[in-house]
Amino acid sequence: ATQSEDWQWEQNDLPQLGGWIGYLSFECGHAWEPFPWLPADPAGFDDYHFARYRNAVLFLPTGEALLLWGEDDSLAPQLQNAERAELTTQFNQLLDASPISTSSALLPAAPQPVADAQSYQESVRQMRRWIGAGELFQANLSHRLQGPAPQDARAFYASLRPRQPTEMSAYFETGPD
């Protein structure tokens, strides 16, 4: 948040929202750790992405949705009122919209591992060697799955939520692709 923004709400148990939101990918670790990191993401995803937001919609586990925004005290009162009215209109349109249909959420085909089983087992052996040598004390070894993308990414996420419930999760789009 900037110095001219006011981010306050009556419910003290809400998480802080707004400001800069984004991600750092696993592959981005090479910027901080001198470790033999993986090469750049072969799918072309960015190592990081951040964007500045002054508003957010918070969906609570109770099913409630809250519109939160940072009032910009540097704006003239009539601009603040116009902005507030536009955000409220957009929020009400979101609430009135039909639920996302998950009928197109299925993947066209099951994802397949990119690496073969032997390569994965060699990675396990390498992790164990590094742990034994004291280079690591813990490892989270994962593997890439590849397959056709779902027809509707938002519907796919909506279909995952009931099957993979978490207290904190998000669907984040960085652009049209």
Side-chain angles (χ1 to χ4, degrees), residues 1 5-9 11 14-22 51-60 64-71 83-84 86-92 94-95 168-172:
E5 291 175 13
D6 183 13
W7 285 85
Q8 297 179 19
W9 40 80
Q11 291 177 270
L14 295 179
Q16 175 66 43
L17 291 172
W20 289 93
I21 299 174
R52 175 99 167 75
Y53 299 92
R54 279 191 36 242
N55 53 66
V57 175
L58 176 63
F59 294 95
L60 300 176
E64 294 175 275
L66 303 175
L67 172 62
L68 307 174
W69 70 88
E71 294 270 344
E83 181 182 60
R84 186 179 305 117
E86 176 63 25
L87 285 173
T88 302
T89 298
Q90 290 175 4
F91 180 65
N92 288 328
L94 173 68
L95 294 181
M168 300 294 275
S169 67
Y171 175 80
F172 188 71

Side-chain angles (χ1 to χ4, degrees), residues 2-3 11 17 22 27 30 49 52 75-76 83 85 106 109 111 113 122 129 134 155 165 171 173:
T2 66
Q3 290 180 352
Q11 291 177 270
L17 291 172
E27 290 82 7
H30 62 79
H49 179 88
R52 175 99 167 75
L75 296 176
E83 181 182 60
L106 298 178
E122 178 52 37
R129 285 192 291 270
Y171 175 80
E173 288 183 356

Side-chain angles (χ1 to χ4, degrees), residues 115-126 141-143:
D116 60 42
Q118 287 178 324
S119 297
Y120 184 79
Q121 289 300 321
E122 178 52 37
S123 295
V124 170
R125 286 190 285 277
Q126 181 63 49
L141 182 61
S142 60
H143 64 279

Side-chain angles (χ1 to χ4, degrees), residues 69-112:
W69 70 88
E71 294 270 344
D72 188 343
D73 295 335
S74 68
L75 296 176
Q78 61 270 28
L79 289 176
Q80 283 187 29
N81 291 337
E83 181 182 60
R84 186 179 305 117
E86 176 63 25
L87 285 173
T88 302
T89 298
Q90 290 175 4
F91 180 65
N92 288 328
Q93 288 172 346
L94 173 68
L95 294 181
D96 292 339
S98 300
I100 294 174
S101 170
T102 58
S103 62
S104 65
L106 298 178
L107 294 174
Q112 300 297 313

